[in-house]
Amino acid sequence: MKEETPPFASSISIGLAGRTFAWSIAVKCATSHNQPRVRSLRDPHLRELTALRNANEIVSWMGATGNTRDALPDRQTPSINHARSLLDAEEADRLRRFIHTEDRMSYLAAHAGSRLLLGAITKRKAETLRFERSEFGKPVLVDAPADLDFSMSHARGAVAVAAAYMPIGVDIEPLRDVSDRNEISEIVLASEERRILANTPEARQSELFLRYWTIKESVLKAAGVGFTLSPNTLIVDAGSSPAVLSAPAELGPPEQWRVIAPA
């Protein structure tokens, strides 16, 4: 009998993700009155997903590619070999180029997870989906239903994917000490954000910096501009009620942005 490879990732709940990772989901709503709701999927194979229930819903899945305590068990999670079979030639070539196994596994989980999510939403086979890049490099599903958008993020040991019928971005980073945060802050943070960071107890500064980072990157991903806009021109609240406070004109009115992140 042929030996099966292990699952390509383990699901993690939003609660666990908030204790282990910094993460953020950002969406741009049609009006300032929209209040989107997040449906967190417990299954990387996405069997529980039949459709997005309404235009204000966000569906997301987060996974760990390493040994994470309290990861949600699922014996029917697709294997690594099955996940690889979902990728197209370009993705498979990129996968082979990663030097470190941890980076290779998180890339595989992000791309296979995105295909499974979008396949479930569109009722297509995950391996038949085709993608192209927007002007600034954001992946776009070819022949997607009107207004359907998605985003993926992977870092060593972590992956997140999300989709909605509105512009969406997601970002995830392992919680860790960022020793050069003061130098990077000059590029990433606005002056008022740097003041808040400097006045935060040193033991919590790396976590707060990563909260700023993931919120800003999720917004820039949702806008489809990436880092063509300097992140220090975007001002956000990274506290218990994350929000966009001020944004360049290219991003539209701040009040249309919604940010979901762990408290």
Side-chain angles (χ1 to χ4, degrees):
M1 180 180 294
K2 184 178 178 181
E3 185 178 354
E4 185 62 275
T5 57
F8 76 87
S10 299
S11 296
I12 50 177
S13 67
I14 281 182
L16 175 61
R19 297 192 298 273
T20 313
F21 306 108
W23 61 266
S24 173
I25 299 172
V27 290
K28 187 177 184 182
C29 301
T31 73
S32 60
H33 303 294
N34 285 32
Q35 296 297 332
R37 294 186 177 183
V38 179
R39 181 153 51 116
S40 178
L41 302 174
R42 293 174 54 90
D43 179 2
H45 199 21
L46 310 170
R47 291 184 303 278
E48 68 193 69
L49 178 62
T50 56
L52 285 169
R53 292 170 180 161
N54 58 65
N56 292 326
E57 184 177 52
I58 299 166
V59 291
S60 71
W61 172 70
M62 296 184 187
T65 56
N67 294 322
T68 300
R69 259 179 52 187
D70 303 327
L72 303 174
D74 184 354
R75 294 181 180 179
Q76 298 186 49
T77 297
S79 68
I80 293 173
N81 281 346
H82 180 72
R84 285 176 180 152
S85 73
L86 301 179
L87 306 186
D88 62 24
E90 181 181 350
E91 290 169 317
D93 181 63
R94 178 73 184 276
L95 183 68
R96 287 190 292 269
R97 296 185 183 190
F98 284 100
I99 297 173
H100 298 289
T101 301
E102 297 94 333
D103 298 329
R104 190 181 309 121
M105 290 304 303
S106 59
Y107 176 90
L108 173 64
H111 285 255
S114 294
R115 284 178 170 275
L116 289 166
L117 175 61
L118 294 171
I121 292 172
T122 62
K123 308 301 182 186
R124 304 179 200 168
K125 292 183 177 180
E127 63 272 24
T128 66
L129 300 178
R130 295 184 299 114
F131 301 89
E132 58 188 15
R133 296 275 178 177
S134 67
E135 180 183 359
F136 298 115
K138 182 176 181 177
V140 177
L141 177 64
V142 175
D143 297 327
D147 298 325
L148 177 64
D149 193 21
F150 81 100
S151 182
M152 71 174 85
S153 177
H154 57 91
R156 189 165 288 189
V159 60
V161 298
Y165 282 104
M166 54 190 137
I168 189 168
V170 65
D171 193 56
I172 190 167
E173 289 284 341
L175 290 174
R176 63 191 187 278
D177 178 49
V178 184
S179 58
D180 56 350
R181 60 183 177 271
N182 291 330
E183 292 83 355
I184 303 175
S185 293
E186 295 290 330
I187 301 170
V188 176
L189 304 183
S191 58
E192 48 266 70
E193 294 167 333
R194 293 198 298 273
R195 284 195 294 272
I196 294 172
L197 184 66
N199 290 326
T200 298
E202 187 171 356
R204 294 194 59 247
Q205 285 188 12
S206 286
E207 179 181 354
L208 179 58
F209 174 81
L210 289 168
R211 283 178 63 85
Y212 275 123
W213 177 275
T214 53
I215 291 171
K216 292 189 177 209
E217 184 154 355
S218 66
V219 172
L220 295 175
K221 281 183 174 183
V225 298
F227 285 107
T228 60
L229 284 180
S230 177
N232 62 17
T233 64
L234 172 65
I235 303 174
V236 303
D237 183 346
S240 58
S241 300
V244 173
L245 302 178
S246 177
E250 294 91 332
L251 301 185
E255 59 270 17
Q256 287 188 358
W257 286 98
R258 299 288 181 272
V259 177
I260 300 97

